[in-house]
Amino acid sequence: MHLKPNTMKLQATTTTTVALLILLLLGSSSFHLSMAGSAFCDGKCQVRCSKASRHDDCLKYCGICCAACNCVPSGTSGNKDECPCYRDKTTGKGARKRPKCP
């Protein structure tokens, strides 16, 4: 069987495209897994953010703080003295400085 040059080009392009898509899928799934928090932080932050009105934001910032400090205060609010690192994290400097961790 003899293929025409245009058919061979199309076949090579299709193969390359499929290979790139597979690499993209594999890369994105491993990136998602690397961004996943630890079981410790996930569990502690679920409790901490269980009553938060902005649950997703609370989980995001709690996870960041937990990863950096390796602790999360008990309860759904307050108790930040249990974890000074968590308590002292802020979003910036100057007048706009606010607590980062929920």
Side-chain angles (χ1 to χ4, degrees), residues 51-71:
K51 293 183 180 179
S53 59
R54 296 176 65 178
H55 189 71
D56 291 341
D57 286 340
C58 181
L59 287 174
K60 175 184 172 183
Y61 290 109
C62 179
I64 291 169
C65 295
C66 179
C69 299
N70 202 31
C71 65

Side-chain angles (χ1 to χ4, degrees), residues 34-49:
S34 69
M35 294 297 292
S38 69
F40 170 79
C41 289
D42 289 349
K44 294 284 188 178
C45 289
Q46 281 292 341
V47 171
R48 183 80 179 167
C49 297

Side-chain angles (χ1 to χ4, degrees), residues 7-53:
T7 306
M8 289 172 61
K9 253 188 199 178
L10 179 61
Q11 188 178 17
T13 303
T14 303
T15 303
T16 304
T17 303
V18 169
L20 287 173
L21 286 172
I22 290 171
L23 286 172
L24 182 64
L25 277 170
L26 291 172
S28 66
S29 64
S30 65
F31 177 73
H32 179 68
L33 289 174
S34 69
M35 294 297 292
S38 69
F40 170 79
C41 289
D42 289 349
K44 294 284 188 178
C45 289
Q46 281 292 341
V47 171
R48 183 80 179 167
C49 297
S50 63
K51 293 183 180 179
S53 59

Side-chain angles (χ1 to χ4, degrees), residues 45 48-49 52 57-58 61-62 65-66 69-91 97-102:
C45 289
R48 183 80 179 167
C49 297
D57 286 340
C58 181
Y61 290 109
C62 179
C65 295
C66 179
C69 299
N70 202 31
C71 65
V72 175
S74 62
T76 56
S77 65
N79 304 321
K80 289 187 177 182
D81 288 334
E82 295 175 359
C83 185
C85 171
Y86 189 98
R87 175 194 65 211
D88 297 338
K89 288 225 172 280
T90 58
T91 59
K97 186 175 179 178
R98 293 193 176 103
K100 183 173 192 169
C101 307

